[in-house]
Amino acid sequence: MPRSMARRSLLAALPLLFLGGCVQTGPMGSMAPGVIGPVAPGSIWAGRIGRVTGTDGMVDNPLWTAEFSEPGFRSDLASSLTRAGIMTPGGTNRLNADVESVTQPQTWTKVQVTMVVHYTIHDATGRTVFDQTVTTSYTSPLGQSVRGIDRLRIASENAAKDNIALLLHALGASAEGAPTGGPF
């Protein structure tokens, strides 16, 4: 094969190599676990949460603005609690979810995101009835996507899924977090 023909073949195949490594990711708002089982009807948490609150601005790294949304996280958390039968419109308790940190160590071959969320549940009188900090980590290797920004989105979504799944487990519901790379 002549050298110029081999060069043209390589140039034609190069975009296909990059496309093969790309992963379609959902929009942010894909932080809820995919599989959630309800709490037992007699559980102390069944139907108890009426709203989810939190403090915005806990994550102050400007690089995260496109990759992580605290209100989006709380919205997916509320949706997950509803699917588990823990959150209902008539619930008297309030769950406060403060994202304390989201870190993103990166290397050429992987992106790892570690997320720390402090959860507290307050009853109708304001008394704290649940207080737990949940730390999760997800590593997105080069094989999930060639583009670093896509791997960052994948890792942040899955660290959030795992975090919500662990909270649901603590409240007596079953949940499956990230499909791979997480603590499950």
Side-chain angles (χ1 to χ4, degrees):
M1 177 185 284
R3 185 174 221 163
S4 64
M5 189 172 178
R7 205 175 287 163
R8 276 184 272 174
S9 297
L10 178 61
L11 288 174
L14 197 55
L16 296 175
L17 290 173
F18 284 109
L19 286 174
C22 292
V23 172
Q24 291 289 346
T25 57
M28 282 312 284
S30 304
M31 296 180 270
V35 178
I36 297 174
V39 294
S43 166
I44 64 166
W45 301 113
R48 296 296 293 267
I49 306 293
R51 62 188 172 119
V52 174
T53 61
T55 306
D56 287 337
M58 299 294 277
V59 179
D60 57 3
N61 184 344
L63 293 175
W64 273 99
T65 56
E67 303 311 318
F68 182 79
S69 158
E70 289 172 89
F73 172 75
R74 282 192 303 276
S75 175
D76 283 352
L77 172 61
S79 171
S80 299
L81 291 166
T82 300
R83 287 172 46 202
I86 297 169
M87 186 168 168
T88 60
T92 57
N93 293 355
R94 174 182 49 92
L95 182 130
N96 193 65
D98 285 326
V99 179
E100 293 184 346
S101 67
V102 178
T103 57
Q104 54 181 3
Q106 296 183 43
T107 67
W108 171 249
T109 57
K110 66 180 181 176
V111 175
Q112 181 180 24
V113 172
T114 301
M115 179 180 206
V116 179
V117 182
H118 183 221
Y119 297 102
T120 52
I121 298 176
H122 305 277
D123 67 12
T125 67
R127 184 176 57 104
T128 301
V129 294
F130 179 89
D131 189 338
Q132 186 171 337
T133 299
V134 176
T135 302
T136 52
S137 182
Y138 184 91
T139 301
S140 178
L142 184 60
Q144 281 190 310
S145 178
V146 173
R147 292 175 18 146
I149 194 74
D150 289 339
R151 288 197 321 266
L152 179 58
R153 183 174 38 257
I154 291 166
S156 59
E157 286 176 356
N158 286 310
K161 284 178 187 179
D162 288 346
N163 204 284
I164 292 171
L166 286 176
L167 172 69
L168 291 172
H169 281 281
L171 298 177
S174 63
E176 182 181 313
T180 60
F184 299 110

